[in-house]
PDB file of all heavy atoms in Angstrom:
ATOM      1  N   ILE G  65      -1.016  -1.765 -17.638  1.00 97.00           N
ATOM      2  CA  ILE G  65      -0.443  -1.400 -16.343  1.00 97.00           C
ATOM      3  C   ILE G  65       1.086  -1.330 -16.435  1.00 97.00           C
ATOM      4  O   ILE G  65       1.734  -2.273 -16.881  1.00 97.00           O
ATOM      5  CB  ILE G  65      -0.834  -2.415 -15.254  1.00 97.00           C
ATOM      6  CG1 ILE G  65      -2.357  -2.473 -15.108  1.00 97.00           C
ATOM      7  CG2 ILE G  65      -0.176  -2.059 -13.920  1.00 97.00           C
ATOM      8  CD1 ILE G  65      -2.838  -3.573 -14.176  1.00 97.00           C
ATOM      9  N   GLU G 206     -11.098 -47.217 -28.122  1.00 92.00           N
ATOM     10  CA  GLU G 206      -9.803 -46.692 -28.558  1.00 92.00           C
ATOM     11  C   GLU G 206      -9.927 -45.281 -29.100  1.00 92.00           C
ATOM     12  O   GLU G 206      -9.093 -44.408 -28.818  1.00 92.00           O
ATOM     13  CB  GLU G 206      -9.188 -47.612 -29.628  1.00 92.00           C
ATOM     14  CG  GLU G 206      -8.718 -48.957 -29.127  1.00 92.00           C
ATOM     15  CD  GLU G 206      -9.867 -49.935 -28.891  1.00 92.00           C
ATOM     16  OE1 GLU G 206     -10.996 -49.658 -29.404  1.00 92.00           O
ATOM     17  OE2 GLU G 206      -9.647 -50.937 -28.185  1.00 92.00           O
ATOM     18  N   PHE G 238     -31.638 -22.033 -14.394  1.00 93.00           N
ATOM     19  CA  PHE G 238     -31.963 -20.712 -13.857  1.00 93.00           C
ATOM     20  C   PHE G 238     -30.677 -19.953 -13.529  1.00 93.00           C
ATOM     21  O   PHE G 238     -29.680 -20.545 -13.121  1.00 93.00           O
ATOM     22  CB  PHE G 238     -32.820 -20.846 -12.598  1.00 93.00           C
ATOM     23  CG  PHE G 238     -34.165 -21.475 -12.861  1.00 93.00           C
ATOM     24  CD1 PHE G 238     -34.311 -22.861 -12.859  1.00 93.00           C
ATOM     25  CD2 PHE G 238     -35.276 -20.692 -13.127  1.00 93.00           C
ATOM     26  CE1 PHE G 238     -35.536 -23.450 -13.118  1.00 93.00           C
ATOM     27  CE2 PHE G 238     -36.510 -21.279 -13.389  1.00 93.00           C
ATOM     28  CZ  PHE G 238     -36.643 -22.655 -13.378  1.00 93.00           C
ATOM     29  N   GLU G 249     -23.234  -5.967   1.655  1.00 97.00           N
ATOM     30  CA  GLU G 249     -24.126  -7.084   1.959  1.00 97.00           C
ATOM     31  C   GLU G 249     -24.632  -7.703   0.655  1.00 97.00           C
ATOM     32  O   GLU G 249     -24.980  -6.987  -0.291  1.00 97.00           O
ATOM     33  CB  GLU G 249     -25.330  -6.593   2.777  1.00 97.00           C
ATOM     34  CG  GLU G 249     -24.941  -5.938   4.085  1.00 97.00           C
ATOM     35  CD  GLU G 249     -26.101  -5.192   4.732  1.00 97.00           C
ATOM     36  OE1 GLU G 249     -27.041  -4.787   3.992  1.00 97.00           O
ATOM     37  OE2 GLU G 249     -26.071  -4.999   5.956  1.00 97.00           O
ATOM     38  N   GLU G 264     -30.953 -29.750 -27.675  1.00 60.00           N
ATOM     39  CA  GLU G 264     -29.622 -29.246 -27.339  1.00 60.00           C
ATOM     40  C   GLU G 264     -29.219 -29.726 -25.945  1.00 60.00           C
ATOM     41  O   GLU G 264     -30.063 -30.106 -25.123  1.00 60.00           O
ATOM     42  CB  GLU G 264     -29.592 -27.718 -27.395  1.00 60.00           C
ATOM     43  CG  GLU G 264     -29.791 -27.145 -28.789  1.00 60.00           C
ATOM     44  CD  GLU G 264     -28.646 -27.490 -29.723  1.00 60.00           C
ATOM     45  OE1 GLU G 264     -27.501 -27.098 -29.456  1.00 60.00           O
ATOM     46  OE2 GLU G 264     -28.894 -28.181 -30.726  1.00 60.00           O
ATOM     47  N   VAL G 272     -34.476 -16.592 -22.863  1.00 77.00           N
ATOM     48  CA  VAL G 272     -34.364 -16.153 -21.473  1.00 77.00           C
ATOM     49  C   VAL G 272     -35.699 -15.557 -21.038  1.00 77.00           C
ATOM     50  O   VAL G 272     -36.283 -14.733 -21.745  1.00 77.00           O
ATOM     51  CB  VAL G 272     -33.243 -15.107 -21.304  1.00 77.00           C
ATOM     52  CG1 VAL G 272     -33.071 -14.742 -19.827  1.00 77.00           C
ATOM     53  CG2 VAL G 272     -31.934 -15.625 -21.876  1.00 77.00           C
ATOM     54  N   ALA G 351     -34.655 -10.864 -21.323  1.00 89.00           N
ATOM     55  CA  ALA G 351     -35.868 -11.431 -20.726  1.00 89.00           C
ATOM     56  C   ALA G 351     -36.925 -10.367 -20.482  1.00 89.00           C
ATOM     57  O   ALA G 351     -37.981 -10.661 -19.905  1.00 89.00           O
ATOM     58  CB  ALA G 351     -35.523 -12.138 -19.417  1.00 89.00           C
ATOM     59  N   ALA G 374     -13.571   4.475   1.416  1.00 86.00           N
ATOM     60  CA  ALA G 374     -12.861   3.980   2.600  1.00 86.00           C
ATOM     61  C   ALA G 374     -11.351   4.078   2.395  1.00 86.00           C
ATOM     62  O   ALA G 374     -10.606   4.391   3.320  1.00 86.00           O
ATOM     63  CB  ALA G 374     -13.275   2.552   2.911  1.00 86.00           C
TER      64      ALA G 374
END
Side-chain angles (χ1 to χ4, degrees):
I65 300 173
E206 290 77 16
F238 296 86
E249 301 167 336
E264 294 294 299
V272 184

